[in-house]
Amino acid sequence: MKLRTTVAICTTLAAFPASAQFIPSAESVEGLYPGKAYSPYAQRSFPSNVFWGDTHLHTGYSMDAGLFGNTTGHDTAYKFARGEEVTSASGLPVRLARPLDWLVLADHSDGMGLIFDMLDQKPNVMAFEQSRNWAEGLAEGGEASTQAALDLITTFSQGAIDPDLMAQYSPGSPIYRSVWETVIEKAEEYNTPGVFTAFIGFEWTSLYKGNNLHRNVVLRDNADKALMVDPLVTQPPVGSTDPLDLYSWLEDYESKTGGYAFSLAHNGNLSNGLMFPTEQQYTGAPINENYVTLRNKWEPLYEFTQIKGDGETHPVLSPEDEFADYETWDAGNLDLSEAKTEAMLKGEYAREALKQGLALEKKLGVNPYKFGAVGSTDSHTSLATADSDNYFGKATNAEPNLTRMTHPFTKTDKGVFEGFELVASGYTGVWAEENTRKALWDAMVRRETYATTGPRMMVRFFGGWDFNENDLRGRQPAFAGYQRGVPMGGDLRAAPEGAEAPTFMVYALRDPIGANLDRIQIVKGWIDEAGDLHEKVYNVAWSAGREMDDAGKLPPVGDTVDLEAASYANTIGAPELLTIWSDPEFDAAQSAFYYARVLEIPTPRWVVYDQLRLGVEIPEAAQKVHQERAYTSAIWYAPEE
């Protein structure tokens, strides 16, 4: 009963504007102000700003992006991310509603720059039948270019690209070195510490028989260190598709340069069960102490959401979660060369991986899946667009046009990913001290990040043992959060004497130009004494006018979407939600994790904006309305040994 009363108070407060959130009572407010100086903004020692960016954007330097018709490069990508108006590869003017703060250009390391040589039909490219056919398709444009791109992707995913061709666009060749130097040069040109951060990075595009094992590599360093190496590739004669070899590359990079790097995996939903192994890798090698230790060390983040489907969870894995079936892609693997089975799902989604990590830690002593949350676009257009009303698609052929909803992204005899199933997603919020490579990278490694499907809502999430409502009343929850607890991505400190259960402080403020909030949920996963894994979703704060039932369910927030006008009204929901929540089923003997999920009220998907602006019909099977969301990095609890 105490829990429900607390929630009701907090959500009632959240229904009012921030300037009139509450009126202090006559009782003493001693202890509400925790600052060390009169100015609460002076002498802070914790991150007080959230910086927005994309960990995963491709330019025409990526082979598939180029063959799909993207003839734009680094300048377009960086200028667009900084808020400038640019012209897309399809000739459309485009601009972000608001600039981003940082960007990782993660072009595929294999064959980087090959497409620009195809465009010029250089002799070394035209000498090979494969690349000659692709070059001719690219020159013809339209459907021929699309088919050439799909053929390249399939050929690449099956490891069948001519090795002599790839050798010219692989580490050790002068062509490849020149392209990598250009990548670094452009990142240095656009990197402006304190204003805009351009990370040096690349995508290591591991595919095993069409199963997605991709990782993005992000360097903390500047050109002096990045120039000391070449990226790792996956194709013969010098590449590898084994993540253990990527971890070796990262180790070698740090040893050779004195710098720092990490990798993050993405699109486990297209790996057909291989992304989060629990018994053995796809190579047959066992999941042993070496594997879990290396993955824990080198992969601090995972991509929860992006253009090719949402990766938080799946309704088969989370049947009690009414919001589990969100932007689900489950027809098969990346190139649809193999159909999906339910047995594969366990190795594909973030929430299940977080749970499996607890089991592996119990078995091997290290949790390999102790990752934080990021959201990315994975756009191949050089345009980091994640807003539903400004969506420019996965590739150039899916930029705004009359047929992009009806043209399949991929279609084989195994299944189909429809064009209307592409997702306008996502971005990453990073809590950091300043907008620099060092500060942002360090925040990512400590997992102080959260993913959104596009909206830039502000979310704080702290775990401790003695948070109380006074910590929210002062309008500065971060002071108490950092002083007496840990932020998202952290490990709960040892429980003080007398503490019965952890307390969590969560605060969410809507995107200033976006939709109101429906609710905040806390997702818990845990392992019991028998080794069985469990999960539960708790509604902890919600907009006014609803009561939670005895089963913990909450009525829907409502729906104000105007499909004809591609709009919605913020007459429901709340501009901000906040609460203190204590786990009512806590068992001090059980390892667990907790993360927050914040849901907006219903809004139109990008297909509705296409209908309004282009005058096209939306396919009957297409979803028109969705509830965009944020996922925080988890906070972990482990019993004292």
Side-chain angles (χ1 to χ4, degrees):
M1 189 66 183
K2 180 180 179 182
L3 173 63
R4 185 170 300 175
T5 302
T6 301
V7 171
I9 291 172
C10 290
T11 53
T12 299
L13 294 176
F16 292 91
S19 60
Q21 188 80 19
F22 64 87
I23 299 175
S25 64
E27 67 191 47
S28 171
V29 294
E30 182 180 356
L32 277 179
Y33 175 63
K36 297 179 180 179
Y38 179 84
S39 170
Y41 311 104
Q43 299 182 350
R44 286 192 179 191
S45 59
F46 58 79
S48 55
N49 294 300
V50 60
F51 296 102
W52 291 100
D54 184 355
T55 59
H56 191 176
L57 181 67
H58 295 266
T59 73
Y61 280 89
S62 290
M63 288 193 297
D64 52 351
L67 266 181
F68 273 119
N70 183 7
T71 56
T72 62
H74 308 104
D75 293 303
T76 296
Y78 286 127
K79 288 178 179 179
F80 181 77
R82 294 193 315 185
E84 299 178 38
E85 183 173 311
V86 300
T87 300
S88 75
S90 63
L92 298 174
V94 56
R95 185 174 186 172
L96 283 174
R98 294 158 291 178
L100 294 175
D101 299 306
W102 56 270
L103 181 66
V104 182
L105 281 188
D107 281 311
H108 300 294
S109 57
D110 287 279
M112 217 170 7
L114 170 61
I115 303 305
F116 287 111
D117 286 352
M118 283 187 186
L119 279 170
D120 295 335
Q121 297 196 0
K122 290 188 175 180
N124 68 304
V125 172
M126 303 306 286
F128 295 89
E129 182 180 2
Q130 283 180 337
S131 52
R132 182 170 63 252
N133 290 337
W134 295 329
E136 290 170 353
L138 182 61
E140 185 176 340
E143 185 62 23
S145 180
T146 298
Q147 290 305 314
L150 292 173
D151 183 64
L152 182 150
I153 292 169
T154 300
T155 305
F156 178 85
S157 67
Q158 300 302 322
I161 293 182
D162 190 311
D164 292 329
L165 171 64
M166 287 306 298
Q168 297 186 52
Y169 295 89
S170 296
S173 78
I175 296 175
Y176 193 87
R177 184 64 190 179
S178 176
V179 173
W180 179 235
E181 289 173 355
T182 298
V183 170
I184 296 170
E185 175 187 336
K186 287 298 181 180
E188 294 292 271
E189 178 182 342
Y190 285 95
N191 187 58
T192 309
V195 179
F196 179 83
T197 295
F199 285 101
I200 300 169
F202 61 89
E203 178 177 321
W204 177 76
T205 314
S206 174
L207 279 170
Y208 174 68
K209 296 183 178 179
N211 300 318
N212 185 97
L213 293 170
H214 302 182
R215 268 79 167 174
N216 293 348
V217 172
V218 184
L219 307 185
R220 185 178 186 258
D221 308 305
N222 302 329
D224 57 337
K225 292 182 172 61
L227 286 168
M228 296 172 68
V229 300
D230 283 333
L232 181 67
V233 296
T234 68
Q235 297 291 294
V238 296
S240 170
T241 58
D242 189 343
L244 291 176
D245 289 325
L246 175 63
Y247 305 150
S248 293
W249 184 94
L250 293 165
E251 185 79 56
D252 291 344
Y253 171 81
E254 293 197 351
S255 297
K256 181 176 183 178
T257 69
Y260 298 94
F262 70 75
S263 66
L264 66 93
H266 61 88
N267 278 125
N269 61 321
L270 301 180
S271 73
N272 274 10
L274 300 186
M275 183 59 78
F276 300 111
T278 56
E279 300 296 331
Q280 64 180 28
Q281 293 187 78
Y282 76 93
T283 61
I287 302 303
N288 54 21
E289 185 176 349
N290 179 61
Y291 179 89
V292 298
T293 300
L294 291 174
R295 186 150 182 175
N296 172 279
K297 177 179 180 179
W298 295 113
E299 296 194 12
L301 301 172
Y302 178 67
E303 200 173 82
F304 273 52
T305 184
Q306 65 132 274
I307 278 176
K308 301 195 300 294
D310 199 73
E312 183 215 6
T313 192
H314 188 281
V316 169
L317 300 172
S318 304
E320 301 301 315
D321 182 355
E322 61 186 308
F323 295 102
D325 193 7
Y326 179 73
E327 301 288 8
T328 303
W329 280 39
D330 58 5
N333 56 357
L334 179 61
D335 63 359
L336 284 178
S337 59
E338 182 183 20
K340 188 83 66 192
T341 66
E342 285 192 2
M344 298 172 179
L345 297 172
K346 187 180 80 168
E348 297 195 336
Y349 285 86
R351 187 188 301 177
E352 185 66 25
L354 290 168
K355 289 159 54 181
Q356 295 295 334
L358 299 178
L360 286 168
E361 183 175 33
K362 185 173 183 179
K363 177 182 177 182
L364 298 171
V366 178
N367 183 345
Y369 305 137
K370 199 169 184 179
F371 49 72
V374 298
S376 309
T377 63
D378 192 15
S379 171
H380 283 50
T381 62
S382 306
L383 308 172
T385 56
D387 296 325
S388 289
D389 67 347
N390 194 29
Y391 178 56
F392 268 65
K394 166 72 173 176
T396 298
N397 68 323
E399 291 184 6
N401 64 65
L402 298 177
T403 62
R404 69 170 175 169
M405 278 194 281
T406 56
H407 193 291
F409 173 71
T410 306
K411 185 176 183 179
T412 71
D413 60 348
K414 306 297 183 183
V416 60
F417 296 127
E418 299 287 1
F420 58 75
E421 291 182 303
L422 287 165
V423 189
S425 188
Y427 287 140
T428 300
V430 179
W431 286 102
E433 293 84 353
E434 59 184 4
N435 189 0
T436 62
R437 285 173 176 164
K438 176 181 180 298
L440 293 173
W441 193 95
D442 290 352
M444 291 178 186
V445 167
R446 66 176 182 262
R447 302 181 294 254
E448 202 163 350
T449 62
Y450 62 100
T452 85
T453 56
R456 304 188 199 182
M457 58 191 82
M458 181 184 291
V459 184
R460 285 284 206 186
F461 182 52
F462 295 96
W465 296 94
D466 61 352
F467 293 138
N468 58 66
E469 288 187 39
N470 275 351
D471 296 324
L472 293 177
R473 291 178 65 209
R475 302 296 301 167
Q476 296 286 347
F479 281 102
Y482 285 103
Q483 288 178 353
R484 306 204 317 276
V486 296
M488 60 182 78
D491 294 281
L492 280 170
R493 300 167 184 164
E497 186 175 351
E500 297 182 359
T503 56
F504 295 89
M505 179 165 53
V506 59
Y507 170 84
L509 178 67
R510 80 170 204 199
D511 184 326
I513 63 171
N516 275 345
L517 306 178
D518 167 9
R519 68 188 73 191
I520 299 176
Q521 300 175 310
I522 290 181
V523 178
K524 177 187 178 183
W526 71 97
I527 184 170
D528 65 22
E529 288 79 358
D532 295 327
L533 298 170
H534 307 270
E535 65 175 65
K536 190 168 184 178
V537 180
Y538 297 88
N539 291 303
V540 300
W542 56 88
S543 58
R546 295 175 287 168
E547 292 288 337
M548 188 165 65
D549 66 22
D550 292 337
K553 299 295 184 181
L554 195 63
V557 68
D559 187 343
T560 65
V561 172
D562 182 344
L563 292 175
E564 185 177 359
S567 186
Y568 61 93
N570 271 331
T571 53
I572 59 173
E576 64 177 353
L577 295 171
L578 65 166
T579 196
I580 305 292
W581 177 80
S582 182
D583 180 359
E585 301 172 86
F586 179 70
D587 185 332
Q590 298 175 346
S591 294
F593 64 82
Y594 305 81
Y595 67 87
R597 181 171 67 183
V598 183
L599 300 179
E600 286 188 342
I601 64 171
T603 55
R605 282 185 81 239
W606 64 268
V607 297
V608 180
Y609 294 96
D610 270 25
Q611 182 180 50
L612 174 69
R613 296 170 185 168
L614 302 177
V616 295
E617 291 297 321
I618 301 175
E620 186 176 345
Q623 185 177 350
K624 299 177 182 179
V625 176
H626 61 163
Q627 286 189 256
E628 301 218 60
R629 55 201 63 194
Y631 308 114
T632 73
S633 295
I635 293 172
W636 286 265
Y637 165 79
E640 293 185 43
E641 296 183 358

